[in-house]
Amino acid sequence: MARREDWPARLARYVDAHRDTPFGWGSFDCVLFAAGWVREATGADPTAGLVWTDERSAQRVIKSVGGLRAGVESRLGDPVSAALAWRGDVVLHEMSRRPGLGVCVGAEFAAPSEDDGLMFVPMSAARMAWRV
């Protein structure tokens, strides 16, 4: 899965478009934010066939794919060290009470916050990354 040539501009637009998007399970959560970026960057939909509407159904979907990491690996391949992440790569973090996904935007990653819009966190908080 190759990135579109104009991915840097697409990444900037994608992040800007979601800065203030309110969190919602099944509408704007960490998996859908990361998957939306993959779709924008490559045209491929890593969440095709997966649907959830609330936290409980999201946890069922995650369990059905073997966990968050296994689910991402099955769609994006083997992870790399977060220290090797490039802009536009998907990252795994553990910022809240559970693992979550974000998108590397340089020295930070962007991820939905359950409080309001996107949070921007130093990449040192990321645990691993997947090339997009």
Side-chain angles (χ1 to χ4, degrees):
M1 149 175 43
R3 289 186 192 185
R4 294 177 166 128
E5 287 185 31
D6 64 342
W7 72 265
R10 286 175 182 262
L11 178 60
R13 284 192 306 267
Y14 185 75
V15 170
D16 284 344
H18 293 292
R19 280 185 189 275
D20 298 318
T21 302
F23 182 90
W25 290 102
S27 61
F28 187 70
D29 53 46
C30 69
V31 172
L32 293 176
F33 175 69
W37 165 244
V38 172
R39 194 171 39 259
E40 179 67 24
T42 69
D45 184 0
T47 56
L50 303 176
V51 178
W52 56 96
T53 57
D54 55 24
E55 184 176 6
R56 190 173 185 183
S57 61
Q59 293 304 320
R60 278 195 303 266
V61 168
I62 290 169
K63 185 176 179 181
S64 76
V65 298
L68 186 58
R69 178 181 173 168
V72 176
E73 282 181 17
S74 71
R75 285 150 179 83
L76 298 183
D78 292 331
V80 298
S81 167
L84 301 175
W86 299 335
R87 282 181 56 232
D89 286 346
V90 170
V91 302
L92 178 77
H93 65 84
E94 294 178 4
M95 295 300 299
S96 58
R97 61 184 191 263
R98 68 179 70 79
L101 299 177
V103 176
C104 177
V105 293
E108 299 175 313
F109 65 84
S113 166
E114 290 188 34
D115 295 326
D116 189 22
L118 293 177
M119 61 181 175
F120 294 86
V121 181
M123 279 297 295
S124 60
R127 300 293 167 242
M128 63 189 63
W130 288 269
R131 299 280 185 233
V132 174

